Amino acid sequence: MGSSYIEKRIVKAGIDLCKRRIDQKGTPITADDLRSLKVRTISPPLQWFYVVIGLAFTVFGIWTHTELRNMAISFTPVLVGCFNIGYAIHGRPKKVSQMESEVDLMELSADIVSRFVAEMDAKRARKS
């Protein structure tokens, strides 16, 4: 399980939720907690593409400003570049409940539990 990047991000967010709940004195995790998680749904290659395009627009805007000394003209590409970079970093978050038809939550929750238990067992083995 966890073959697509969205499933991997859901599993990672679920493990982080388990760790937070352990820190909160073992507060129980319900199915609604898993459904309310938000994960980024933009693919990693597309994120890199938006960052590169954003950097290109930003550099072009800075170059335009150095050549023309006109802030009104150079501000637009810099702003578009910054928005692209921000969009790539933010990653179009979506709640897991909105993706229930695309992913199998039962298998994902079993994967989250098994990976979390394996991680906790490894941590206990290192301590002893």
Side-chain angles (χ1 to χ4, degrees), residues 1-4 7-8 11 103-104 107-108 111 115:
M1 195 65 213
S3 58
S4 76
E7 291 171 346
K8 289 178 184 176
V11 169
V103 295
D104 187 6
E107 286 185 31
L108 283 176
D111 197 20
R115 288 187 188 191

Side-chain angles (χ1 to χ4, degrees), residues 39-50:
V39 293
R40 292 180 292 164
T41 58
I42 190 170
S43 70
L46 196 57
Q47 279 182 301
W48 280 107
F49 176 75
Y50 273 102

Side-chain angles (χ1 to χ4, degrees), residues 1-50:
M1 195 65 213
S3 58
S4 76
Y5 64 92
I6 292 176
E7 291 171 346
K8 289 178 184 176
R9 288 179 177 168
I10 291 172
V11 169
K12 184 177 181 304
I15 291 172
D16 292 340
L17 175 67
C18 291
K19 289 178 183 175
R20 281 195 314 266
R21 292 296 173 92
I22 291 290
D23 292 339
Q24 294 175 353
K25 306 288 186 239
T27 308
I29 298 173
T30 63
D32 291 333
D33 294 332
L34 182 61
R35 286 187 183 105
S36 67
L37 290 175
K38 281 189 174 182
V39 293
R40 292 180 292 164
T41 58
I42 190 170
S43 70
L46 196 57
Q47 279 182 301
W48 280 107
F49 176 75
Y50 273 102

Side-chain angles (χ1 to χ4, degrees), residues 50-98:
Y50 273 102
V51 168
V52 169
I53 293 297
L55 287 173
F57 269 108
T58 303
V59 169
F60 176 71
I62 292 170
W63 176 79
T64 304
H65 181 69
T66 59
E67 292 295 318
L68 301 178
R69 300 283 185 217
N70 187 345
M71 182 66 92
I73 294 173
S74 65
F75 186 69
T76 304
V78 170
L79 194 61
V80 169
C82 290
F83 283 149
N84 270 334
I85 293 170
Y87 180 73
I89 292 171
H90 191 55
R92 196 174 59 213
K94 197 174 185 184
K95 284 190 174 187
V96 175
S97 62
Q98 296 172 340

Side-chain angles (χ1 to χ4, degrees), residues 14 28 35 86 105 119:
R35 286 187 183 105
L105 289 179
E119 192 174 301

